[in-house]
Amino acid sequence: MTLNRATMSRRQIGSAIKPVSVYTPAMDLGLIDYGSVRDDTPVEYNESMKRYWPKNAPSTYDGKTTMERAIMVSKNTIAAKLVEETKAALETEMAALEENKITLKAS
């Protein structure tokens, strides 16, 4: 029996959902494409604990990394930074809609 990576590999849910929950929205907003480069470096979110989070698994950092590679090896640091970029872009878009008195309704 050979390994079917799609059905038999054990993978964290975060690694499985990142392409849909992080990278796709960023691509839809025009923030990235597969050739875009981001810096794979530690991100510090918890100043009081002096802990870097998130960490990559394994805990290595590659510096300048393309989105294609970040997606392929599931870089947690790049995904976390991209969530912040996407959030800022969405807030800007929402503010522009509100400024122009455009409201969105759920269908």
Side-chain angles (χ1 to χ4, degrees):
M1 178 182 233
T2 60
L3 175 66
N4 179 334
R5 291 188 186 280
T7 60
M8 300 167 83
S9 290
R10 295 178 59 104
R11 191 162 198 167
Q12 294 285 334
I13 185 66
S15 294
I17 198 85
K18 264 185 277 194
V20 174
S21 64
V22 178
Y23 295 106
T24 298
M27 286 181 181
D28 286 347
L29 288 167
L31 298 174
I32 61 167
D33 60 33
Y34 287 107
S36 298
V37 174
R38 292 296 187 280
D39 204 8
D40 177 30
T41 55
V43 180
E44 186 170 352
Y45 283 103
N46 193 329
E47 185 64 35
S48 65
M49 294 178 68
K50 299 290 183 203
R51 274 184 49 193
Y52 284 101
W53 181 90
K55 293 183 178 183
N56 292 327
S59 293
T60 59
Y61 304 96
D62 296 334
K64 301 292 183 194
T65 304
T66 64
M67 288 300 109
E68 180 179 28
R69 175 140 179 85
I71 294 167
M72 184 174 61
V73 298
S74 195
K75 289 289 187 179
N76 293 325
T77 54
I78 291 176
K81 291 174 186 179
L82 202 51
V83 164
E84 292 301 315
E85 283 183 55
T86 302
K87 178 182 168 191
L90 287 172
E91 287 171 351
T92 300
E93 285 192 8
M94 291 303 293
L97 289 172
E98 288 174 11
E99 186 175 300
N100 291 295
K101 312 260 187 280
I102 299 170
T103 58
L104 302 175
K105 285 196 250 181
S107 52

